[in-house]
Amino acid sequence: MCSSDLLRVSASARISQEGPLIPCFVRIAILLLAALTGGEPPLAPPAIGARVADVAFKDVSGRRRTLGEFKSKKAIVVVFVGTECPIANLYFPTLAEMQKQYADRGVQFLAINSNDQDSFADVVAHARERKLPFSVVKDVEQHAADAFGATRTPEVFLLDANRIIRYRGRIDDQDRKSVV
């Protein structure tokens, strides 16, 4: 049986000893988890109007890149993608065309692949096959996905020059049921 001192997280938060007995190691694991997380719920993803951290990642040429490198741009369109995502793959030609159309207006497109199942080599081959005119990066440790709160592919974020989120959501508002 666990000592009652081990069961105390704080003066206000205790695990009840009443009811069915829970093995001591389970109680300790629960207490450690609560202590390590501060007993608080996970952070909510950044909302529109929030500033995104200056995260780093590796582009398909192997170069370390950061969001801060694009500070001279008026806007950055960040698209979270996957090599096997049919919707992202459907939109790559449109995104490539938009990059060409808006580059001279200070808009930079950036594709971020945070998927565990896509290796760096897969991302490189995927980007080269499509001849994308914008940076494609691999977010190996999901720091970018965490900073943005990205949860799916494709998921789009529009950032201003100060990395403030101005849009977050779907890649477009068109109904493409007949295509997908």
Side-chain angles (χ1 to χ4, degrees):
M1 185 59 110
C2 288
S3 141
S4 61
D5 290 331
L6 289 177
L7 295 177
R8 193 168 300 140
V9 175
S10 69
S12 62
R14 293 185 186 156
I15 296 176
S16 172
Q17 290 185 345
E18 298 176 28
L21 293 177
I22 299 174
C24 185
F25 68 90
V26 172
R27 289 183 185 165
I28 292 171
I30 292 169
L31 292 173
L32 285 174
L33 181 60
L36 291 174
T37 62
E40 297 180 22
L43 294 174
I48 292 175
R51 188 166 197 252
V52 177
D54 188 16
V55 292
F57 23 66
K58 190 174 9 171
D59 71 14
V60 294
S61 66
R63 195 173 115 202
R64 184 181 182 275
R65 306 291 304 263
T66 67
L67 283 175
E69 290 177 37
F70 303 109
K71 64 184 171 192
S72 66
K73 301 296 183 181
K74 292 179 182 176
I76 308 166
V77 178
V78 177
V79 184
F80 282 86
V81 300
T83 61
E84 297 178 14
C85 176
I87 298 171
N89 286 329
L90 176 69
Y91 278 94
F92 275 125
T94 303
L95 295 172
E97 189 57 39
M98 291 174 73
Q99 172 64 58
K100 292 173 187 172
Q101 182 179 357
Y102 292 101
D104 62 344
R105 297 184 192 175
V107 177
Q108 175 64 51
F109 283 70
L110 173 67
I112 300 177
N113 184 312
S114 298
N115 293 348
D116 281 331
Q117 73 270 16
D118 294 338
S119 71
F120 183 75
D122 292 339
V123 174
V124 170
H126 187 256
R128 289 190 177 148
E129 286 169 9
R130 285 157 181 76
K131 297 178 176 69
L132 298 173
F134 49 83
S135 293
V136 178
V137 300
K138 177 65 178 159
D139 181 26
V140 176
E141 296 177 356
Q142 290 85 31
H143 293 303
D146 291 343
F148 281 89
T151 59
R152 63 187 52 89
T153 62
E155 187 167 5
V156 178
F157 295 81
L158 175 64
L159 307 179
D160 67 15
N162 297 313
R163 298 192 316 269
I164 305 295
I165 299 173
R166 299 300 176 190
Y167 172 82
R168 173 194 185 141
R170 294 174 51 161
I171 200 161
D172 77 13
D173 60 356
Q174 297 179 29
D175 183 9
R176 297 210 171 210
K177 291 178 185 174
S178 62
V179 177
V180 181

